Each structure stands twice: as C-alpha cells, then as structure tokens.
Amino acid sequence: MTIQQALRAATARLQSISPTARLDAELLLAHILGWSRARVVAEREVVLTPAQQEAFGALVARRAAREPVAYLIGHWPFFGLDLVVDRRVLIPRPETEVLVELALAEARRYSGTQITIADIGMGSGAIAIALAIHVPNATVYGVDRSADALAVAALNVARYNLSDRVVLLEGDLLTPLPGPVDLIVSNPPYTILAEVDEGVYRYEPHLALDGGSDGLDCYRRLIAAAPAYLKPGGAILLEIGAWQAEAVVHLINQAFLHAEVGVQRDLTGRDRVVWARNRDVIR
C-alpha cells in the first residue's frame, strides 16, 4: 500500500467523525513515519511497510473512536510552539491565541521594567510559555490545581529552557501566588459538560472543562479574588465562551471599584476575551 492509498482509505474512514479527516490522516501517518506532514504529502507514492501499515491502522482506529489527534501523536502547535500534550491536559486551541496577543499588548506597557504575570489554570503551559518567550522581562507564575497537568507543563517549560522564569505552583486559582502581580491571564473552565462534543467529553480532562451548570463557576471565584492579587494599574484577561461576555463583564464590574473593561472578538467574530485594567485595589 502506498502513502496515497493509505491516506485515501483513512480519510474515508474518518469523514463521518471529523471535519478535518484528511488532515488527521496526514498527521497520524507523519507521526508513524517520523516525517513532516509536508513530506508525507510530497512522497505519496512511497510504499509503506507492513509494520507501518499496522501502526497507522491502529491510530486511525483510535481516531475513529474520537480520540483527539493531539493525544495520538503526543504534541500540538500553539502560537508558534510545539507542545507536549496528553490526556492530563486540555489541548491548546487556536482561539486562545487571541488571549496571548492581548496579554502581549498589555505587557508592552512594562517595557524596560520587570513584570510579573500569573497564568491561572496553566494546563500544558501553552499561555505561560508563549508569554515568557515573548516577554523576556517577565516572571510568569503558572498555577494549576492538577499535579498531573503541572507535570506536563514542566516538560514543556524545560523544553523551552524557561525554568528560571516560569514558576509552577500547585493550588486553587490565585491562592498559591506569593503576592500581587501585574497581569493575570486565564483560560478557565467554561463549558457545560452536557453540551460538549463527544470526543472532548470522552478524552479531555473534565477538571479543565467543567464550568458548572452555567459555565461561570470559575469566573465567579477568580474575579471576586482578583482585585487583591493585582497591583495598581494591573490587568486581568479572561478567555470566555462566546455567550458569556455580558455575564463576565458584570462580575468584573461588581468586583472592581474602577476599571476599564472591554471585550475582544476572535477571528470568527465571536466574543473571546474579556479584559479589565485595574485602577484601584480592593484589600
């Protein structure tokens, strides 16, 4: 069987469960061969060995059972990074890059001075690592209550040689922080589990997904605590579900006496990030 034949058969098998069936097949075969996806596409007449066919077939079968490609190949791209991922962490989504871009814009206000950033619910470390790489004057605290998630984050922090500037802290929300910070960023759990995609529900960690009956449980607790953990002039940026902007803005207005508040949409035009810049600190 040639690469082209294997990809055609795999794509046909995956079409009913994945809108990116061909891409999925190419990524899985690239993983088996140890090649880039571009090489797989280019060398489509190469004949696979029986062992390669068997290994590829096993991965396609798992993908047909809705197991995410990221977990099958063990890594996933985010903001120009290549991150280790497995079932202990949520798979980084491209829409979260909007949160990183806004955080970078906020961090530029501190050019030439040291800045402290807290990534709450860091998971794989995607946000914290992207910020640390692009803000060399930053110390980033990555907080997660899952020791398993922090173990994955540690692999990624070490991979990018950032152990001196990305500090991993285990605990609930803001409580592990050593003191107030300049910037809080978070992609908290905001889904209603009963409404998530079957593959996401079956394979991705519920701790990183479950936002309670209305998706706002984590926001209520995080926003209420945030003013005491922000320095004067500091900012908080929160990824949200597309339906949550009004509710999250309301929570921020309740918690902060004086703050600039805004909502940023993603490339699809959906509300994606709520941000607030603090002018007072509630103690």
Side-chain angles (χ1 to χ4, degrees):
M1 180 180 286
T2 65
I3 285 176
Q4 180 172 266
Q5 291 169 331
L7 289 175
R8 187 179 296 128
T11 301
R13 183 172 184 183
L14 297 176
Q15 275 181 334
S16 63
I17 65 98
S18 174
T20 56
R22 176 71 181 201
L23 173 61
D24 294 357
E26 291 170 355
L27 290 171
L28 294 177
L29 188 53
H31 175 67
I32 292 297
L33 297 176
W35 293 1
S36 67
R37 177 179 162 235
R39 185 178 175 188
V40 167
V41 173
E43 300 194 29
R44 56 188 181 180
E45 298 304 324
V46 170
V47 176
L48 300 175
T49 68
Q52 289 168 341
Q53 290 183 50
E54 182 179 358
F56 181 53
L59 287 189
V60 171
R62 290 170 64 184
R63 179 65 186 123
R66 299 185 183 272
E67 187 168 351
V69 173
Y71 294 160
L72 294 173
I73 65 176
H75 61 98
W76 203 244
F78 178 81
F79 212 78
L81 307 170
D82 185 54
L83 299 168
V84 173
V85 295
D86 60 29
R87 291 181 64 171
R88 293 175 289 179
V89 295
L90 200 69
I91 299 165
R93 266 61 170 185
E95 54 266 29
T96 302
E97 295 188 0
V98 176
L99 177 64
V100 174
E101 289 168 353
L102 287 177
L104 291 177
E106 191 66 27
R108 291 188 194 105
R109 298 196 299 123
Y110 297 85
S111 178
T113 63
Q114 289 298 304
I115 176 175
T116 51
I117 302 172
D119 174 16
I120 306 303
M122 78 177 304
S124 66
I127 296 169
I129 292 168
L131 293 177
I133 287 174
H134 291 279
V135 188
N137 56 314
T139 296
V140 184
Y141 297 105
V143 182
D144 207 295
R145 57 178 171 162
S146 167
D148 285 342
L150 288 174
V152 177
L155 295 175
N156 287 314
V157 169
R159 190 174 198 179
Y160 286 94
N161 299 311
L162 290 168
S163 299
D164 59 332
R165 291 199 298 114
V166 179
V167 181
L168 307 185
L169 301 171
E170 183 178 350
D172 185 50
L173 299 180
L174 299 162
T175 55
L177 294 178
V181 297
D182 298 296
L183 183 60
I184 295 170
V185 297
S186 184
N187 177 17
Y190 59 75
T191 60
I192 300 169
L193 281 181
E195 299 177 359
V196 301
D197 173 81
E198 180 185 347
V200 173
Y201 183 89
R202 187 183 300 173
Y203 292 103
E204 298 197 53
H206 288 189
L207 185 64
L209 291 166
D210 187 5
S213 60
D214 61 358
L216 293 170
D217 283 1
C218 192
Y219 294 97
R220 291 188 183 95
R221 297 172 56 232
L222 177 57
I223 291 169
Y229 286 91
L230 271 182
K231 295 179 182 179
I236 180 170
L237 296 92
L238 303 170
E239 182 170 331
I240 60 167
W243 65 95
Q244 293 175 312
E246 183 178 357
V248 173
V249 167
H250 177 69
L251 290 171
I252 287 175
N253 285 332
Q254 285 184 315
F256 290 87
L257 291 178
H258 303 96
E260 296 177 68
V261 184
V263 179
Q264 178 66 43
R265 292 180 175 177
D266 61 23
L267 293 177
T268 69
R270 295 172 176 158
D271 292 339
R272 184 56 56 191
V273 176
V274 172
W275 61 268
R277 187 174 299 124
N278 191 22
R279 289 178 178 171
D280 280 324
V281 180
I282 302 171
R283 297 296 185 186

